[in-house]
Amino acid sequence: MVNDSDTFFTLKGRDFLTIAEFTPEEIQTFLQQALDMKQLQKKNIPHPYLNGKTLAMIFEKSSTRTRVSFEVGMYQLGGSALFLSSRDIQIGRGEPIPDTARVLSRYVDGIMIRTFAHEKVEELARYADVPVINGLTDTHHPTQVLADLLTIYEHKGTLKGLKACFIGDGYNNMAHSLLEGAAAVGMDMTVASPEGYEPDQAILAAAEKRGAENGCKVGFTHSPQEAAEGADIVITDVWASMGEEAEKEKRLHDFKGFQVNEELARLAKDDYLFLHCLPAHRGEEVAASVIDGPHSAVFDEAENRLHAHKAILKCLMESN
């Protein structure tokens, strides 16, 4: 993987709203920056690329990994981060998003937001004069998927040509961003979901088109067995995401047969890699023997949130 300085320059000042908005070369640059800074951290070499910079972090959805990784990441990059819940700022009391965007742009050097509707992130970015990073919406989770791609690359030594599958809710931010990420880097990706839980058709169609352009196949099936057959990477997520807890009993019924367990995993390659963005519900979407087994890289994946997020911050916010 080669770091392209010209590509790095194209990322400065940009927003990070979806994986689909970046070229393969730009995604490679993010990943190389993450690998480089991971090595610096392991060797205890300071890397204050964002010395004196400040990131505003707006949380309308709670988080463990997103908050800690961005806050620690800014500290390690020499900057600082402000945690802002909807109870702490006026956006939670009806202030228009354009006003919040304009005000924060005069105080900070970047904004990360974790919220519900993707349209809110888009509106914030439209009116902000500083980079806006999508820490999660109901539709997309691009920062997590960048960490997933980093983890896959570290374990497999490549991305292009691999076969991955996502077993679970196809109308899920992870499924959508995985489809987009795989299509961008040339990795086959199949999402398997029960009827009624298919991916957003516009996102799926765009990913299929881009995948064909990049020499890979992305698609959808109702059969978890078909998706898992010969897979290099098996991925899942909770069946009831934040905001869907009231549907839990219905989803437990609807997703029967979609658990990633030893029987399903046997259809994947012998050296398959298991990923889950966490938190996980053992005994529901994944068997404990899989997530805690030898193929699981979920804690490498969780750690890589830090390194991937530092790469995003550096690429978008570094001055020089």
Side-chain angles (χ1 to χ4, degrees):
M1 188 175 292
V2 178
N3 187 22
D4 184 337
S5 58
D6 291 335
T7 303
F8 179 77
F9 181 77
T10 69
L11 294 169
K12 292 182 180 181
R14 298 259 303 271
D15 298 316
F16 193 97
L17 306 188
T18 70
I19 286 285
E21 65 201 63
F22 297 101
T23 67
E25 293 77 18
E26 289 170 338
I27 293 173
Q28 177 177 291
T29 297
F30 282 125
L31 295 175
Q32 187 62 60
Q33 290 288 320
L35 289 168
D36 291 346
M37 286 189 287
K38 186 172 184 176
Q39 287 304 307
L40 291 174
Q41 181 184 324
K42 299 298 183 186
K43 296 176 181 177
N44 293 315
I45 299 174
H47 42 287
Y49 297 111
L50 299 184
N51 186 40
K53 303 259 183 185
T54 303
L55 177 74
M57 306 189 306
I58 301 173
F59 283 88
E60 295 191 314
K61 277 190 172 185
S62 60
S63 167
T64 298
R65 282 150 291 275
T66 301
R67 177 177 178 180
V68 175
S69 57
F70 272 108
E71 192 161 340
V72 171
M74 279 299 292
Y75 173 79
Q76 292 181 355
L77 290 168
S80 60
L82 300 171
F83 173 78
L84 304 170
S85 76
S86 56
R87 297 184 300 274
D88 299 323
I89 58 176
Q90 297 301 323
I91 196 172
R93 300 172 62 185
E95 180 174 59
I97 291 174
D99 290 358
T100 297
R102 292 182 179 112
V103 169
L104 287 179
S105 295
R106 297 192 177 209
Y107 295 147
V108 302
D109 303 286
I111 302 169
M112 189 281 297
I113 180 169
R114 183 176 168 96
T115 188
F116 294 90
H118 189 72
E119 292 76 17
K120 181 174 285 190
V121 176
E122 293 177 323
E123 188 174 11
L124 188 69
R126 191 176 308 123
Y127 290 95
D129 295 325
V130 296
V132 171
I133 300 167
N134 174 12
L136 173 143
T137 65
D138 289 342
T139 314
H140 296 278
H141 201 353
T143 58
Q144 173 67 58
V145 168
L146 189 67
D148 290 3
L149 294 176
L150 178 62
T151 307
I152 294 166
Y153 180 81
E154 286 184 317
H155 280 263
K156 296 297 185 181
T158 189
L159 294 172
K160 195 171 183 65
L162 294 176
K163 179 181 179 182
C165 66
F166 177 87
I167 312 292
D169 183 358
Y171 200 82
N172 166 288
N173 47 30
M174 280 300 299
H176 291 154
S177 289
L178 282 165
L179 285 166
E180 293 177 336
V185 301
M187 181 169 63
D188 289 351
M189 169 64 68
T190 303
V191 171
S193 308
E195 291 188 12
Y197 296 91
E198 296 84 1
D200 178 276
Q201 289 305 297
I203 293 174
L204 178 60
E208 288 175 335
K209 182 176 183 294
R210 192 176 194 190
E213 294 169 352
N214 288 331
C216 64
K217 182 179 180 181
V218 299
F220 172 81
T221 179
H222 287 119
S223 169
Q225 291 78 20
E226 179 185 342
E229 184 70 41
D232 296 288
I233 305 102
V234 179
I235 310 170
T236 191
D237 192 9
V238 294
W239 290 339
S241 299
M242 281 182 284
E244 298 169 340
E245 291 83 0
E247 304 175 19
K248 182 173 180 179
E249 292 306 315
K250 179 179 186 302
R251 285 171 175 261
L252 286 175
H253 175 269
D254 292 348
F255 283 87
K256 186 177 181 180
F258 282 78
Q259 183 188 83
V260 178
N261 50 33
E262 296 282 359
E263 181 181 1
L264 185 64
R266 276 195 288 270
L267 297 173
K269 290 185 179 176
D270 292 341
D271 63 345
Y272 82 92
L273 190 70
F274 174 76
L275 299 179
H276 190 306
C277 64
L278 303 179
H281 297 159
R282 289 165 174 79
E284 292 183 13
E285 75 274 4
V286 61
S289 59
V290 172
I291 192 170
D292 298 321
H295 296 276
S296 177
V298 297
F299 296 108
D300 292 342
E301 178 186 12
E303 177 191 341
N304 279 338
R305 292 289 298 277
L306 172 62
H307 309 300
H309 295 175
K310 284 166 68 176
I312 295 168
L313 293 166
K314 180 179 184 292
C315 289
L316 304 187
M317 293 171 58
E318 188 178 15
S319 298
N320 300 320

